[in-house]
Amino acid sequence: MFNTAVLERVLVASLVASLVGGTAFAQEVGKSPWGPKDEIGRLNLITPDSRAAILSRIEGSKSYDLAVEYFIGMPSWEAAGDPPYQMWMTHTPNGTLVSDPMKVGKEMNAHVSYTGSAVSMYAHMGTHIDALNHFGLNGKIWNGYAAADHLGDQGWTITGAEKLPAIVARGVMIDVAAAKGMQMLPDNYRITRKDLEEALKSQGVTLAEGDVALIRTGRMQNYEDKAAYMSNPPRPQHRRGKVPRRGRRRHGGGRR
């Protein structure tokens, strides 16, 4: 199985395209075909039956972890002033022995050591999935929900990541870099529908409705070099329409 969280920029998640959909440069936000109260978009295509069908096909001897490492100095979006990833010790065995924060005495602190840590980070970094309220137009987000009605002091009350169901589906990696004979796509390369179609053809793979598509750019080679990784990365060229699809299946076996 693979981690259901999605790699941004490295394995660009086409959940945006194949599961969320949308239009580019639209004057109004997109509306859900599942009605005005829908909060999960094309994740509605993943059903209990489709999950059961996929789980029944898992062989189980291999797993693919798509999560990236979090470390101080890791790539992160900071251009708009958001904080980088930070991790620090809040308690150490010797520090606890000296400061005795729990007031249990030196003898107990010497006997029972205590190590603790804390992290601070912008949520839009590393392995994550964007909720449908991440972007909007004219004071509204996807499906017409208005910030004036649904954005409180602690965040959006609708379309949050907590509303997303378990994403259990066939995963299809579309290796655009390999299809072009490259180790990594050039900086600022715009991945087109034609690129996706050619990569799928070269892999002998057909997308089906309900698949989770991952677009490989090769950018992961630069992941430990923050400046190189974040400098004009390849990305999908957003246009009206969807990731190329053939057939109407929602599940089935696949190759990675």
Side-chain angles (χ1 to χ4, degrees), residues 34-106:
W34 286 274
K37 294 184 178 181
D38 181 41
E39 298 184 51
I40 63 172
R42 293 189 180 272
L43 288 179
N44 282 288
L45 295 175
I46 300 177
T47 66
D49 287 344
S50 71
R51 291 191 193 99
I54 288 297
L55 290 172
S56 70
R57 303 182 64 141
I58 293 176
E59 190 270 331
S61 64
K62 292 184 178 180
S63 62
Y64 301 92
D65 185 359
L66 301 188
V68 298
E69 296 292 331
Y70 284 72
F71 56 90
I72 295 175
M74 69 177 287
S76 61
W77 173 254
E78 300 169 28
D82 296 291
Y85 176 82
Q86 293 290 339
M87 180 177 182
W88 64 94
M89 304 303 297
T90 58
H91 300 283
T92 63
N94 188 69
T96 299
L97 189 64
V98 172
S99 60
D100 190 19
M102 301 300 293
K103 308 303 179 186
V104 296
K106 186 174 183 178

Side-chain angles (χ1 to χ4, degrees), residues 132-156:
L132 290 174
N133 53 35
H134 187 44
F135 276 99
L137 290 170
N138 305 317
K140 295 182 179 180
I141 58 171
W142 177 85
N143 213 17
Y145 294 115
D149 299 326
H150 300 285
L151 180 57
D153 287 341
Q154 281 75 48
W156 288 92

Side-chain angles (χ1 to χ4, degrees), residues 219-235:
R219 196 75 169 187
M220 189 62 183
Q221 297 170 74
N222 289 341
Y223 187 67
E224 294 186 2
D225 183 341
K226 178 177 180 178
Y229 184 81
M230 295 299 295
S231 176
N232 295 316
R235 66 200 73 185

